[in-house]
């Protein structure tokens, strides 16, 4: 028997009353669920913060890493519809706990490739007992067989099987992450709404969403901290490593963040196995928040009631709870009913256009969240740690501010459908305008010997300058050095014709130089590492414009959601929201990272080779990279703007048709028509 049906709101005698009183409190449930959703978004967002590091560590293309980032939506999408059916039939807290355990297990699996792989060797040109960066990358004409032997000797069936296993484990982990996340949010929200006081429920849900929205920002912050540590911090070689985080071969401790996030999810999941299936209905309103909650409740009630104000007959009778209707159906009946509801919902032009606009906006967000850190690293020569710090500390907080501003405008101004559509159109237009300068904030790549050419020069027959012809340079070596005087970068010291190495002690780290370089004017020396970008100072203006555009686009979030609620029948609202999120996953969150990754791969000018296959990209055409990455963002923002313009056009047409019908159906002389028109003005304005 439901506890809310018992007179006085007291729970019936039941063994669950022997539980500690804290597990009978909805406030404690809200606290636990806020922490759980925060940890869940941390573990799902952490992959995006370390995507470029995982590419370098395991030799993945951007298309493959984009598919990996999108793969958690596969398990989520396949099961999310069934939540609408099973929502009221299961022990919701335990289902949330089981889902959280799966999420924690997925986090552990994501870190497993680090432990089953060999230690990271950032220079693969020498044998295992050769000191990295020493003789392996130098010009050694006395060993002509070095390059082919080292390239093919490490390629074996075991190596290939291990690579496939590592990538497969990560894909399985991402699938588990999606499956485990299915019950967490919908079951938690419905549980809070069922057992919280009616006046307190909006406040609790507001607290839940406010805490949850901090998850992605904390994920990027965690990535910023972890990627400062060397990947093999648990098995450092003797004497340490000579790399710094600014070196393009640096790989941070990406796996450590997954372990920390998985531990947080596991801790947050433990209380859910002690919550009852049903708890006593909260009896008391929080008086301290009474005024604020009353305003929020009135705002929500106005939004919820607006579709039912179409006719007096509909407003006089209450519809049954859609979740309760779904609970009365069998699985077969639910599967049969769902396509009809889907088609009926998609026939609403407002719903369809708003969802398409959100698909465009979500595609932009998914691509930006996945590859913006990598774009900043490549375009402005910043470290992965600094790129994550900028995104987690600036872009995501401003997007949250945009959502709050949009919600406040809808509530304070009591915006109707026309004004909500106008606000969405204005926000999309401003976000599009702000993104225009991004095409010009960047610079071309510096010259890379044998790969990129100086303006006006003709491509030669040989892939590298003739000055290094006597050297037997490895075809898959990567140990870049820079000639700062000429602004030329060489793939390895061997490609610069260097025959000697000099190490200078500088405070707490050593600086490495190479000398006797036949391809460098004066013989060098040249410094280890890539050349600095000429436009590193533009990273802050770029990220500020990106953050401003994210805030303006986020303003449309709440008014677009209100348009969806007002654009469908009242009995279809619950399933309409479920259909909305399902379409966003299928059409935006799943394909967008793959599309962005494929576009990034097309701008690569030098691929690393691993056993004859294409691995990670070492160098990009930076102008082409910027134009295609920013161009994709511009394309999706334009699509969202067009959809909102069509929404506004349809709403205006509907208003004209309603006015025409109202005028045609009013009998009597002209004076009576004028009086009836005056009487209808308040109703029109409220709708």
């Amino acid at each position: 028997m439901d506890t809310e049906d018992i007179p006085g709101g007291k729970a019936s005698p039941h063994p669950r009353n022997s539980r500690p009183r804290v597990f009978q409190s909805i406030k404690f449930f809200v606290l636990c669920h806020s922490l759980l959703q925060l940890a869940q978004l941390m573990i799902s967002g952490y992959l995006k913060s370390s995507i470029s590091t995982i590419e370098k560590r395991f030799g993945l293309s951007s298309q493959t890493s984009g598919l990996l980032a999108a793969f958690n939506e596969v398990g989520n999408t396949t099961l999310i519809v069934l939540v609408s059916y099973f929502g009221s039939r299961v022990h919701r807290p335990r289902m949330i706990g089981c889902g959280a355990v799966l999420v924690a297990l997925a986090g552990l699996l994501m870190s497993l490739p680090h432990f089953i792989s060999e230690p990271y060797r950032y220079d693969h040109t020498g044998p295992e007992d050769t000191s990295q960066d020493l003789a392996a990358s130098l010009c050694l004409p006395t060993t002509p067989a070095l390059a082919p032997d080292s390239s093919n000797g490490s390629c074996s069936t075991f190596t290939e099987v291990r690579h496939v296993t590592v990538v497969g484990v990560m894909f399985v982990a991402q699938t588990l992450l999606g499956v485990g996340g299915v019950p967490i949010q919908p079951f938690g929200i419905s549980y809070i709404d069922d057992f919280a006081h009616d006046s307190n429920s909006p406040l609790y849900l507001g607290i839940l969403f406010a805490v949850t929205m901090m998850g992605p920002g904390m994920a990027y912050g965690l990535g910023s901290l972890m990627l400062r540590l060397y990947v093999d911090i648990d098995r450092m070689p003797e004497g340490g490593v000579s790399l710094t985080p600014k070196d393009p071969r640096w790989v941070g401790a990406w796996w450590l963040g997954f372990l920390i996030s998985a531990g947080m999810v596991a801790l947050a999941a433990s209380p859910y196995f002690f919550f009852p299936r049903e708890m006593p209905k909260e009896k008391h309103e929080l008086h301290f928040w009474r005024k604020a909650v009353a305003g929020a409740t009135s705002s929500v009630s106005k939004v919820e009631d607006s579709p039912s104000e179409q006719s007096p007959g509909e407003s006089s009778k209450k519809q049954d709870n859609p979740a309760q209707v779904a609970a009365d159906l069998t699985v077969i009946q639910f599967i049969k009913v769902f396509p009809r509801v889907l088609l009926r919902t998609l026939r609403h032009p407002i719903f369809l256009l708003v969802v398409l606009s959100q698909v465009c906006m979500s595609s932009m967000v998914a691509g930006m969240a996945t590859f913006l850190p990598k774009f900043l690293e490549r375009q402005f020569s910043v470290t992965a740690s600094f790129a994550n710090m900028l995104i987690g500390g600036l872009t995501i907080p401003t997007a949250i501010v945009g959502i709050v501003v949009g919600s406040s405008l809808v509530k304070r101004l009591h915006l109707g459908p026309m004004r909500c559509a106008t606000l969405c159109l204005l926000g999309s237009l401003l976000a599009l305008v702000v993104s225009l300068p991004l095409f010009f904030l960047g610079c071309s790549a510096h010259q890379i010997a044998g790969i990129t050419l100086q303006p006006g020069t003709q491509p030669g027959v040989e892939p590298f300058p003739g000055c290094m012809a006597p050297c037997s340079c490895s075809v898959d070596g990567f140990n870049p050095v820079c000639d700062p005087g000429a602004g030329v970068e060489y793939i390895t010291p061997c490609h610069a014709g260097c025959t000697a190495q000099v190490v200078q002690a500088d405070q707490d780290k050593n600086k490495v130089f190479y000398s006797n370089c036949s391809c460098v004017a004066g013989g060098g020396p040249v410094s280890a590492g890539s050349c600095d970008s000429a436009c590193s100072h533009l990273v802050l203006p770029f990220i500020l414009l990106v953050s401003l555009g994210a805030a303006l686009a986020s303003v449309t979030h709440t008014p677009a959601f209100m348009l969806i609620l007002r654009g469908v029948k009242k009995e279809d609202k619950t399933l309409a929201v479920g259909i909305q999120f399902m379409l966003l996953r299928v059409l935006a969150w799943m394909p967008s990272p793959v599309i962005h990754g494929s576009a990034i791969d097309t701008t690569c000018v030098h691929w690393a080779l691993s056993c004859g296959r294409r691995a990670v990209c070492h160098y990009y055409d930076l102008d082409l990279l910027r134009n295609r990455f920013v161009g994709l963002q511009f394309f999706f923002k334009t699509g969202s703007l067009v959809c909102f313009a069509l929404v506004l056009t349809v709403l205006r047409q509907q208003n004209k048709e309603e006015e025409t019908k109202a005028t045609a159906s009013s009998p009597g002389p002209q004076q009576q028509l004028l009086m009836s028109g005056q009487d209808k003005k308040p109703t029109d304005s409220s709708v």
Side-chain angles (χ1 to χ4, degrees), residues 82-388:
L82 294 179
V83 172
S84 303
Y85 174 75
F86 289 108
S88 57
R89 297 171 179 257
V90 297
H91 194 301
R92 284 175 289 183
R94 288 182 185 171
M95 286 297 295
I96 294 172
C98 292
V101 170
L102 273 181
V103 171
L105 179 61
L108 295 178
L109 277 179
M110 280 299 298
S111 64
L112 181 62
H114 169 74
F115 298 99
I116 63 177
S117 301
E118 292 184 351
Y120 173 59
R121 290 188 61 82
Y122 48 84
D123 188 354
H124 298 279
T125 58
E128 294 296 323
D129 57 349
T130 302
S131 176
Q132 301 185 65
D133 273 344
L134 186 55
S137 297
L138 297 178
C139 178
L140 301 174
T142 57
T143 55
L146 177 62
D149 289 347
S150 64
S151 175
N152 299 326
S154 60
C155 298
S156 63
T157 304
F158 175 73
T159 304
E160 287 296 293
V161 169
R162 184 171 56 193
H163 175 78
V164 173
T165 302
V166 164
V167 176
V169 166
M170 289 191 289
F171 274 94
V172 171
Q174 283 294 99
T175 305
L176 279 180
L177 183 61
V179 172
V182 168
I184 292 178
Q185 185 171 9
F187 284 173
I189 292 175
S190 62
Y191 194 84
I192 293 172
D193 194 54
D194 285 348
F195 303 116
H197 190 279
D198 292 339
S199 299
N200 295 340
S201 181
L203 172 65
Y204 292 155
L205 294 180
I207 293 173
L208 175 66
F209 291 136
V211 175
T212 301
M213 284 190 296
M214 294 189 296
M218 294 183 64
Y220 283 102
L222 181 63
S224 177
L225 293 175
M226 295 300 104
L227 297 183
R228 295 177 185 177
L229 306 175
Y230 186 65
V231 59
D232 289 325
I233 191 174
D234 57 329
R235 46 187 179 185
M236 289 286 284
E238 293 183 8
V241 294
S242 60
L243 295 184
T244 64
K246 287 186 67 66
D247 194 295
R249 297 169 298 164
W250 173 270
V251 172
W254 60 273
W255 54 274
L256 196 54
F258 283 111
L259 291 181
I260 294 174
S261 301
M264 292 178 62
V265 172
L267 288 176
S270 54
Y272 285 89
F273 296 98
F274 302 98
F275 282 107
R277 179 168 184 164
E278 297 172 352
M279 69 170 55
K281 180 82 171 180
E282 192 178 32
K283 295 183 294 183
H284 302 292
E285 180 183 358
L286 296 179
H287 299 290
F288 181 77
W289 296 96
R290 176 178 294 175
K291 186 175 180 180
V293 172
T297 307
S298 64
S299 174
V300 173
S301 64
K302 287 180 182 179
V303 170
E304 295 292 334
D305 293 341
S306 57
S308 62
E309 292 172 0
Q310 297 171 357
S311 65
E314 290 183 10
S315 60
S316 61
K317 64 177 183 178
K318 287 207 171 190
Q319 299 287 344
D320 292 331
N321 186 1
Q324 188 62 37
V325 174
D328 295 334
L329 301 176
T330 64
V331 177
I332 303 299
Q333 290 172 335
F334 180 79
I335 294 175
K336 289 181 178 179
V337 167
F338 180 75
R340 292 204 301 268
V341 176
L342 176 62
L343 292 176
R344 184 173 66 191
T345 305
L346 292 179
R347 280 200 295 265
H348 291 285
I350 300 297
F351 175 84
L352 184 60
L353 287 171
V354 173
V355 168
L356 286 178
S357 71
Q358 289 188 321
V359 165
C360 292
M361 201 65 74
S362 297
S363 297
M364 181 268 295
V365 172
M368 186 76 77
T370 306
F371 289 110
L372 182 58
K374 177 175 181 175
F375 177 83
L376 296 179
E377 292 175 46
R378 297 291 184 169
Q379 187 71 48
F380 303 106
S381 297
V382 298
T383 64
S385 174
F386 185 66
N388 284 320

Side-chain angles (χ1 to χ4, degrees), residues 123 125-127 130-131 133-148 150 467-474 492-501 514-518:
D123 188 354
T125 58
T130 302
S131 176
D133 273 344
L134 186 55
S137 297
L138 297 178
C139 178
L140 301 174
T142 57
T143 55
L146 177 62
S150 64
C467 57
M468 42 77 62
C471 307
S472 55
C473 301
S474 172
T492 66
C494 181
H495 291 91
C498 302
T499 59
Q501 182 191 51
Y514 296 91
S515 58
N516 299 331
C517 305
S518 58

